[in-house]
Amino acid sequence: MLDIIVANKNLKGFYGDGKSIPDVPEIPIKHDFADQIYIRQMNMSAGQVVVGAIHNHLHAWFLLTGKVYIIESDEKIEHIAPCYTISKPGAQRVIYAVEDSIFVNIHKNPTNNKNIKELESEIVSMTMDEFNKKNNNLWVF
């Protein structure tokens, strides 16, 4: 599905370049906190595409409502809510919302930091070089 959107240059609803964290009103992000946990909720409308950054840590994500296709490591997987999975370090996703969807990432936050920019810097990398430096040259396969 994503290849058709990109091939036809139909980029309406396409957010992110994988080198920065999309911060646009069309895709609202909600931030919540529990003891040593950072919860990041992203609401996507049908037809939107998000290119995410590279995740630094093992974490869980949940699809609470909707249906999405996720491309990760050259594999396209359909997810239908409700579901969850575990994201490995080094994962970078392209998410296509087939239906209006609510996508939630659960990240560790051992210092209970509530500064979103600082948390984002800890949670994701913008390049594989940055990822490898933060993770002591951990190779991801």
Side-chain angles (χ1 to χ4, degrees), residues 18-55:
K19 296 184 180 6
S20 62
I21 297 173
D23 184 15
V24 294
E26 294 85 0
I27 302 189
I29 303 292
K30 178 181 175 189
H31 309 278
D32 276 315
F33 301 90
D35 187 28
Q36 299 185 21
I37 296 173
Y38 167 47
I39 305 162
R40 183 180 182 94
Q41 177 179 313
M42 177 174 63
N43 295 359
M44 295 180 69
S45 298
Q48 289 181 320
V49 178
V50 170
V51 180
I54 301 164
H55 287 270

Side-chain angles (χ1 to χ4, degrees), residues 13-135:
F14 197 98
Y15 302 95
D17 58 6
K19 296 184 180 6
S20 62
I21 297 173
D23 184 15
V24 294
E26 294 85 0
I27 302 189
I29 303 292
K30 178 181 175 189
H31 309 278
D32 276 315
F33 301 90
D35 187 28
Q36 299 185 21
I37 296 173
Y38 167 47
I39 305 162
R40 183 180 182 94
Q41 177 179 313
M42 177 174 63
N43 295 359
M44 295 180 69
S45 298
Q48 289 181 320
V49 178
V50 170
V51 180
I54 301 164
H55 287 270
N56 290 330
H57 308 287
L58 188 72
H59 69 281
W61 65 261
F62 296 80
L63 183 63
L64 301 181
T65 63
K67 176 179 173 181
V68 298
Y69 284 110
I70 294 182
I71 299 172
E72 183 178 331
S73 301
D74 296 328
E75 182 179 12
K76 181 172 82 173
I77 303 170
E78 176 184 67
H79 295 278
I80 301 171
C83 68
Y84 77 93
T85 191
I86 303 298
S87 183
K88 295 179 182 172
Q92 182 174 28
R93 299 185 288 257
V94 176
I95 306 166
Y96 171 70
V98 178
E99 302 172 355
D100 291 354
S101 301
I102 298 176
F103 196 87
V104 176
N105 283 286
I106 308 296
H107 295 283
K108 63 183 178 179
N109 183 9
T111 62
N112 287 316
N113 186 354
K114 292 189 178 180
N115 181 307
I116 302 305
K117 292 297 179 195
E118 289 176 10
L119 283 169
E120 288 172 344
S121 177
E122 293 172 19
I123 292 166
V124 299
S125 294
M126 299 304 143
T127 66
M128 282 309 292
D129 284 342
E130 181 184 343
F131 170 81
N132 284 325
K133 286 176 187 172
K134 287 180 179 178
N135 290 283

